[in-house]
Amino acid sequence: MTNIYKQIFKEIEKNDKIIITTHIRADGDCVGSAIGLKEIIKSMYKNKTVKASFENMKFLSFLGSPDKIEDDEFKNSLIISVDNATLDRSNDPRIQLSNKIIKIDHHPNKDPFGYINLVDENRCACSEIVFDFLLNIKNPSISVDGLEALCTGILTDSGRLSYSHVDSRTFMTIAKMIDMGIDYQKIINHLDEITKEELRFKGYVLSNFEETENGVLYIKITKEMRDKYNVSYDEASNMVSELSGVKESPIWALFNEAHENEIRCRIRSNGIKINETCEKFGGGGHENASGIVVDSFEKCDEVLNALDELLKK
Ligand code: AMP
């Protein structure tokens, strides 16, 4: 076992109460890595209390629900934060009540907030790192549900094994999971599921996206539009990948109005580094998948101008 896995393993052994937290606005990788890690600890230590805190997302409900956790529990638990780059983006602010936080992540490590940091930004998903941790344990054990959660994390964060950072290890991980008993087809079917309303809204996005001078494709979504199509905020947010694949447009973005004065920018690229531009607007993320929260659609235009400059160069 390499040193860092050993250190984390020792801390898990030492603590009887463990809470796993993630990042705000849950996605498949943060829910997948949280449930996967919880299932590893649960199957290896029957007497430990291990709970996972994450935002409930309808499209991920097949993986399981978050646990109810009292404030006091945070004070005397070991916290393991998965898939979260910075402390201020933790899904659960009560994480700060604990003085024992371990960070497991695959984002650039700009805020190494844990006393142990297992961070590898070359892995396509945090769930991959959790699976590596499992394989490095002497007598590893995990339920099939846990493995399916990890597999979901890898599939969602890698765009079904299509983004950069997918490498031979990723394919070997999925192959190993299939050998260990996951129902791969079931996961794909869950992830493919879509409502008729979403399908109609997809049609709207595909026929109404716009373009900047140098080819950044984008769509601005207001609450009014979502209501008209009867889709939720999260269902609308998920449409970001619909704008991918146009050769002349290697940057694309979806702007989704959450509330008055709060618009979430989801920005993606193919081969162009966008996270530094997002950081200038207070956001961040990966080189090819980043986000920002801004307070107006005018600010979105400023973001678009900056992204357009990247394409111009
Ligand atoms: P999303 O579009 O929400 O899937 O985000 C893509 C990536 O960018 C994820 O790794 C997020 O953690 C990160 N990200 C999204 N929004 C922000 C933000 N406001 N600040 C920092 N990182 C963000």
Side-chain angles (χ1 to χ4, degrees):
M1 207 190 297
T2 63
N3 203 23
I4 184 101
Y5 295 127
K6 219 182 251 173
Q7 277 179 48
I8 296 177
F9 188 70
K10 265 194 195 153
E11 291 303 310
I12 292 174
E13 289 226 297
K14 261 195 332 214
N15 287 277
D16 287 334
K17 290 182 181 157
I18 298 163
I19 297 175
I20 301 161
T21 61
T22 62
H23 65 69
I24 49 170
R25 285 189 289 273
D27 59 23
D29 191 29
C30 79
V31 175
S33 48
I35 294 180
L37 182 59
K38 176 179 159 177
E39 289 297 310
I40 294 172
I41 302 171
K42 249 176 62 183
S43 29
M44 298 195 57
Y45 301 98
K46 307 285 177 234
N47 296 326
K48 288 191 193 290
T49 307
V50 50
K51 295 188 175 181
S53 162
F54 53 84
E55 209 177 313
N56 242 334
M57 301 298 276
K58 203 171 105 197
F59 82 104
L60 297 168
S61 56
F62 70 99
L63 295 178
S65 313
D67 297 300
K68 223 177 156 332
I69 311 174
E70 301 299 331
D71 293 357
D72 266 358
E73 292 179 69
F74 274 84
K75 285 186 196 149
N76 45 27
S77 291
L78 168 70
I79 313 290
I80 306 182
S81 167
V82 291
D83 197 34
N84 179 33
T86 55
L87 196 55
D88 62 341
R89 297 194 80 243
S90 176
N91 72 303
D92 202 324
R94 297 176 299 173
I95 187 176
Q96 312 240 29
L97 296 172
S98 170
N99 56 3
K100 289 179 288 186
I101 306 175
I102 292 176
K103 179 185 187 186
I104 302 180
D105 190 27
H106 73 131
H107 293 89
N109 200 6
K110 297 246 154 74
D111 177 12
F113 57 83
Y115 71 104
I116 299 174
N117 282 254
L118 170 55
V119 177
D120 185 352
E121 61 175 290
N122 292 315
R123 306 310 294 269
C124 70
C126 185
S127 297
E128 255 193 312
I129 302 174
V130 173
F131 187 72
D132 279 354
F133 173 69
L134 172 77
L135 295 189
N136 275 278
I137 296 171
K138 204 164 172 208
N139 294 306
S141 170
I142 184 173
S143 63
V144 170
D145 284 351
L147 281 175
E148 289 181 349
L150 293 176
C151 180
T152 303
I154 294 171
L155 291 177
T156 50
D157 246 37
S158 68
R160 310 284 178 89
L161 307 180
S162 70
Y163 298 162
S164 59
H165 292 320
V166 169
D167 54 23
S168 58
R169 293 175 299 183
T170 320
F171 285 97
M172 281 190 283
T173 297
I174 301 288
K176 198 154 181 68
M177 287 173 166
I178 293 173
D179 285 345
M180 288 165 84
I182 63 163
D183 187 341
Y184 187 74
Q185 202 53 50
K186 181 187 82 180
I187 300 170
I188 295 290
N189 290 345
H190 274 297
L191 294 176
D192 277 348
E193 222 169 77
I194 185 168
T195 64
K196 278 176 271 187
E197 288 78 11
E198 283 175 282
L199 197 58
R200 286 197 187 93
F201 188 68
K202 192 193 267 194
Y204 170 80
V205 171
L206 292 177
S207 36
N208 288 283
F209 66 83
E210 297 179 74
E211 186 177 1
T212 63
E213 201 183 327
N214 292 292
V216 177
L217 301 188
Y218 66 95
I219 183 97
K220 290 177 178 171
I221 300 167
T222 59
K223 183 176 178 309
E224 204 182 342
M225 273 178 216
R226 293 197 305 266
D227 289 348
K228 184 172 165 210
Y229 281 86
N230 197 18
V231 291
S232 69
Y233 171 79
D234 292 324
E235 287 166 343
S237 279
N238 284 342
M239 297 294 162
V240 63
S241 49
E242 300 307 326
L243 301 182
S244 69
V246 177
K247 193 176 171 200
E248 305 74 29
S249 296
I251 300 181
W252 59 99
L254 179 145
F255 303 98
N256 198 4
E257 179 182 42
H259 312 283
E260 208 184 336
N261 302 328
E262 191 186 315
I263 296 151
R264 177 181 174 197
C265 318
R266 302 193 79 198
I267 302 159
R268 301 289 185 266
S269 73
N270 190 358
I272 296 179
K273 204 170 170 180
I274 49 170
N275 51 349
E276 284 168 3
T277 301
C278 291
E279 282 164 20
K280 287 184 191 145
F281 289 90
H286 303 287
E287 286 184 7
N288 301 124
S290 290
I292 319 171
V293 176
V294 296
D295 59 8
S296 66
F297 278 113
E298 288 73 42
K299 227 351 168 285
C300 296
D301 292 334
E302 288 178 33
V303 172
L304 279 170
N305 283 338
L307 295 172
D308 192 63
E309 276 300 312
L310 286 181
L311 283 196
K312 200 172 167 182
K313 276 183 205 158

